[in-house]
């Protein structure tokens, strides 16, 4: 149980394009989902917290117009990187809170490379 | 401010031996949860073990166990009978009870397992 999928796992795009990443909780309902960014050899950096049906809460320094988050259902959250630039290249990980309410289960991550 | 500290950037263990990873945290809360997550080279974050602060009994999951010292704010992870598949980054994380579940991560410990 407590499986979270993330799609795509890999994406390469040209500078200026937008990229959408999906995060799904497959076998539980997730009222809260989280989006992280991870740089090589570093810990996870929380970008935003999203609750189903409401606007996401962004961490300080994260541009909400750059990283659009939608949490339309209890099993799906999406992160759209708008007008991507090479500095947005990173590893993006989502997680969902379910089961034991304080436990987060993570998706496998998405590697984004912007050329 | 709540912080999580992992003082060992890297650790090494011989296959079949036991290793202990250290984690300390700082909080003024009395109720909270602590976690150990494993991130292998695939970069999938995997929940290893979970501890509720109100429980005095140390959590155990097969070869993984914790030494939770609430007064000392210490939460170490012991891996017994180490296997090659245990090689990974290990992150200690904290979240206060009743919060949205935002995790505060340590910087991680890279564990190598020697055959």
């Amino acid at each position: 149980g407590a499986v979270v999928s993330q799609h795509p796992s890999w994406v390469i795009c040209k500078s200026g394009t937008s990229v959408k990443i999906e995060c799904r909780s497959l076998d539980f309902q997730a009222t809260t989902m989280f989006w992280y960014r991870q740089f090589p050899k570093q810990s996870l950096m929380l970008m935003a917290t999203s609750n189903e049906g409401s606007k996401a809460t962004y961490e300080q320094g994260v541009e909400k117009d750059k990283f659009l988050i939608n949490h339309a259902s209890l099993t799906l959250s999406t992160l759209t990187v708008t007008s991507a630039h090479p500095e947005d290249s990173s590893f993006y990980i989502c997680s969902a809170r379910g089961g034991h309410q304080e436990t987060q289960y993570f998706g496998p991550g998405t590697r984004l490379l912007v050329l | 401010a709540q912080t999580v500290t992992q003082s060992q950037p890297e650790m090494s263990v011989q296959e079949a031996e036991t290793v202990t990873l250290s984690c300390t945290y700082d909080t003024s809360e009395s109720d909270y949860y602590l976690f150990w997550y494993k991130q292998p080279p695939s970069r999938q974050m995997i929940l290893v073990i979970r501890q509720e602060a109100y429980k005095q009994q140390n959590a155990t999951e097969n070869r993984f166990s914790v030494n939770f010292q609430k007064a000392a704010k210490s939460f170490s992870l012991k891996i017994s009978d180490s296997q090659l598949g245990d090689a990974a980054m290990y992150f200690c994380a904290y979240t206060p009870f009743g919060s949205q579940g935002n995790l505060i991560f340590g910087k991680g410990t890279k564990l190598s397992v020697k055959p």
Side-chain angles (χ1 to χ4, degrees):
Chain A
V3 178
V4 177
S5 71
Q6 202 171 326
H7 179 80
S9 56
W10 247 116
V11 58
I12 301 173
C13 68
K14 292 182 179 180
S15 186
T17 61
S18 294
V19 174
K20 180 184 282 189
I21 303 170
E22 290 188 350
C23 177
R24 293 180 185 273
S25 56
L26 298 185
D27 53 2
F28 66 99
Q29 294 186 327
T31 54
T32 307
M33 287 186 168
F34 305 84
W35 288 95
Y36 296 86
R37 185 171 179 177
Q38 187 180 32
F39 293 101
K41 298 184 179 181
Q42 292 189 23
S43 189
L44 279 69
M45 182 187 77
L46 179 65
M47 299 175 65
T49 303
S50 75
N51 291 293
E52 185 263 337
S54 60
K55 291 183 179 180
T57 302
Y58 291 80
E59 294 299 301
Q60 193 171 10
V62 178
E63 300 175 57
K64 59 182 68 176
D65 295 331
K66 173 77 170 174
F67 299 98
L68 300 178
I69 292 172
N70 183 279
H71 192 164
S73 77
L74 287 173
T75 59
L76 173 64
S77 177
T78 60
L79 167 68
T80 301
V81 183
T82 62
S83 187
H85 291 285
E87 58 266 30
D88 299 323
S89 299
S90 191
F91 187 65
Y92 293 88
I93 311 175
C94 73
S95 71
R97 200 178 76 159
H100 291 288
Q101 284 201 320
E102 284 74 15
T103 300
Q104 289 186 32
Y105 298 94
F106 287 82
T110 297
R111 291 168 176 78
L112 171 63
L113 177 61
V114 184
L115 301 176
Chain B
Q2 297 155 341
T3 58
V4 175
T5 302
Q6 292 179 250
S7 59
Q8 306 152 318
E10 296 188 21
M11 290 282 285
S12 180
V13 63
Q14 203 73 33
E15 194 176 7
E17 297 293 307
T18 296
V19 65
T20 298
L21 308 184
S22 301
C23 173
T24 58
Y25 57 94
D26 189 22
T27 182
S28 58
E29 302 287 337
S30 58
D31 291 332
Y32 48 87
Y33 297 82
L34 296 163
F35 307 85
W36 278 98
Y37 283 92
K38 166 186 176 180
Q39 188 179 39
S42 68
R43 302 185 79 174
Q44 165 79 63
M45 292 285 284
I46 302 166
L47 177 66
V48 175
I49 204 162
R50 173 180 184 269
Q51 175 82 44
E52 292 95 335
Y54 65 86
K55 289 186 177 179
Q56 292 186 337
Q57 188 174 7
N58 289 325
T60 299
E61 287 289 343
N62 301 313
R63 297 182 295 107
F64 299 87
S65 61
V66 297
N67 183 3
F68 173 48
Q69 301 289 328
K70 191 173 183 179
K73 296 180 182 175
S74 171
F75 183 61
S76 61
L77 174 70
K78 186 172 83 171
I79 306 174
S80 303
D81 185 26
S82 297
Q83 300 175 0
L84 295 177
D86 294 334
M89 281 290 288
Y90 286 82
F91 292 99
C92 179
Y94 158 97
T95 190
F97 177 80
S99 69
Q100 278 212 99
N102 292 20
L103 288 171
I104 298 169
F105 284 97
K107 291 188 175 181
T109 296
K110 183 178 181 181
L111 177 67
S112 302
V113 181
K114 298 178 180 177

